Amino acid sequence: MSGFTEDQQRLIDVWETHTAAEFALKDADAAVATMTDDVCLVHVPVGTGAFGKEALRTFYREIFIPQSPPDFTLELLSRSVGQDRVIDEFIVRFTHSIRMDWFAPGIEPTGRQLAVPHVGIIGFRGDKMCSEHIYWDQATVLTQLGVLDPALPVMGANQCEPLVSTGAEMNELIVRGKP
């Protein structure tokens, strides 16, 4: 059981059931079955999501699930679990093959491959999720999509490298910014 208590593992199991419903099963009903009636989902960088189980079911069914690319993957980097919270650090990878208004509102598919570090803070009440706050760097997303000038002090896909490789180049933006 990876060093987690039984209660902590139960939270992890609910969270993993939830993400499987979203990305493997593509089933909005199965995803919201893991949640309380007053749940809130906030994709912090772009302000997308919903408040309340029924609004979230609609969001998942009409926007999130159909607008998630088929090659969308999550690579878990670290996990912290408390009494009522799971905090995951992960990298999302996908090809921007479809419009994703929940992630990059208003941007038509570019065909570009993206790699974006994320942090998810998942709150629980009992054995149900009551909140999902998901964070990422939107400037990195927009740079990888070709919307922002890559000369700006933004990392792009290289932002993932120090998280997965101890030999990664560091201080790239400082070096690039020197006269």
Side-chain angles (χ1 to χ4, degrees):
M1 216 189 351
S2 327
F4 294 111
T5 68
E6 246 182 80
D7 289 339
Q8 290 172 325
Q9 189 61 50
R10 213 170 15 258
L11 301 182
I12 292 167
D13 292 345
V14 171
W15 172 232
E16 290 181 349
T17 297
H18 176 82
T19 58
E22 292 173 319
F23 300 110
L25 301 175
K26 300 189 181 300
D27 184 336
D29 293 329
V32 298
T34 63
M35 304 172 128
T36 62
D37 289 338
D38 62 343
V39 66
C40 75
L41 162 65
V42 181
H43 294 131
V44 176
V46 291
T48 59
F51 293 98
K53 196 173 196 174
E54 292 314 311
L56 191 52
R57 182 187 320 272
T58 300
F59 177 77
Y60 281 151
R61 184 179 293 128
E62 295 178 9
I63 299 170
F64 185 79
I65 291 173
Q67 292 183 7
S68 292
D71 65 346
F72 195 97
T73 63
L74 306 172
E75 176 188 352
L76 183 64
L77 300 176
S78 69
R79 172 170 282 158
S80 299
V81 184
Q83 289 181 318
D84 64 354
R85 198 158 312 281
V86 173
I87 302 169
D88 277 358
E89 175 187 28
F90 53 97
I91 295 175
V92 167
R93 297 178 197 278
F94 63 90
T95 305
H96 188 231
S97 57
I98 59 176
R99 188 174 168 125
M100 300 174 68
D101 287 326
W102 64 270
F103 188 76
I107 298 175
E108 294 301 324
T110 62
R112 293 177 179 228
Q113 302 242 336
L114 277 75
V116 184
H118 281 62
V119 173
I121 302 170
I122 316 309
F124 288 83
R125 193 173 315 115
D127 287 342
K128 298 276 187 177
M129 294 169 45
C130 62
S131 64
E132 210 180 330
H133 300 164
I134 309 295
Y135 296 83
W136 66 83
D137 175 7
Q138 191 66 1
T140 286
V141 169
L142 296 175
T143 299
Q144 291 180 65
L145 291 175
V147 175
L148 283 183
D149 182 347
L152 291 170
V154 176
M155 287 298 294
N158 292 349
Q159 189 179 54
C160 297
E161 291 311 308
L163 300 173
V164 295
S165 172
T166 56
E169 223 21 73
M170 298 293 287
N171 303 314
E172 177 183 333
L173 295 179
I174 295 171
V175 171
R176 191 172 35 158
K178 287 187 177 182

